[in-house]
Amino acid sequence: LADRKARICALGALQNLSSDAQLKSKIWEDAQGARAALVAAARLEDPADRMARVCALGALQNLSNAGDAQAMWTDEPSRGALLEAARLQGAADRRSRACALGALRNLAAKSENRELMWKGTEDARAVVVEAARLSDPADREARECALATIWNLAAEPANAKLMDEDAAGVRLALSAASRTQGPENRK
């Protein structure tokens, strides 16, 4: 128990430090230290480690919008951890899923990643499209991150063509989301 609390405190500190623009590249470049710790914690599966996982994924989300975004996407352990967390199901894992999808959104905002993310791995496409199709109001943040990821990726002409041809996936998710109404507009 004491070790879990210490891990949560350490990961929480890393999450806070990762929000500092001057420290982001230092944390990312510490491949055997801070980065390895964040990726390992982002992959924790024990329900008792959920808070540690959220802190790690929050830190990765912070790191995803700085520096060399292509390096983060092409780093298999980091990409794998984000995609695994973006697939999480259930109410208890909503925050982790939203952080992972937020990181994917940030990475997709970088032009050097757009084609790699959409064409490079079917897994990434499937995860993003699945999250874009979420309909539970409690999943709003995750759905919005997924839709923003698609928006960013669609800015790449080659991706836009592939998305248009994917009638059962992206087009269906976008069509459903474009008809979504807020509670104030429902009758």
Side-chain angles (χ1 to χ4, degrees):
L1 184 61
D3 287 345
R4 276 200 167 105
K5 286 183 179 180
R7 181 180 357 192
I8 290 168
C9 290
L11 291 165
L14 281 171
Q15 182 181 12
N16 286 342
L17 291 169
S18 70
S19 67
D20 184 317
Q22 295 178 348
L23 297 177
K24 289 181 185 209
S25 63
K26 290 179 183 179
I27 293 170
W28 175 255
E29 291 167 7
D30 186 10
Q32 301 306 311
R35 184 195 326 169
L38 293 172
V39 170
R43 289 186 143 147
L44 293 172
E45 295 180 1
D46 189 321
D49 292 321
R50 280 193 175 107
M51 180 56 105
R53 184 173 59 208
V54 167
C55 289
L57 289 163
L60 290 172
Q61 182 179 3
N62 289 341
L63 297 175
S64 69
N65 67 4
D68 187 358
Q70 189 172 14
M72 184 177 234
W73 180 251
T74 58
D75 180 65
E76 193 285 323
S78 299
R79 180 180 66 242
L82 292 173
L83 292 174
E84 285 172 20
R87 273 192 220 95
L88 292 171
Q89 302 288 322
D93 291 316
R94 280 191 172 110
R95 188 74 206 124
S96 291
R97 186 177 198 179
C99 286
L101 288 162
L104 295 177
R105 174 201 58 218
N106 292 344
L107 292 171
K110 308 293 183 178
S111 61
E112 64 269 19
N113 279 343
R114 290 180 182 148
E115 191 168 355
L116 288 170
M117 289 180 75
W118 195 254
K119 292 169 89 174
T121 171
E122 281 187 35
D123 197 28
R125 287 193 305 270
V127 165
V128 171
V129 171
E130 178 185 325
R133 296 176 75 174
L134 293 170
S135 59
D136 187 324
D139 291 319
R140 181 188 54 80
E141 183 179 5
R143 184 181 69 239
E144 287 175 359
C145 287
L147 289 165
T149 301
I150 293 170
W151 184 0
N152 289 334
L153 294 172
E156 173 65 37
N159 291 350
K161 182 178 181 338
L162 289 172
M163 288 178 184
D164 185 55
E165 295 168 356
D166 182 26
V170 175
R171 285 188 15 211
L172 187 61
L174 295 176
S175 177
S178 67
R179 291 189 303 271
T180 303
Q181 293 183 10
E184 67 280 358
N185 296 327
R186 293 187 187 130
K187 294 181 182 180

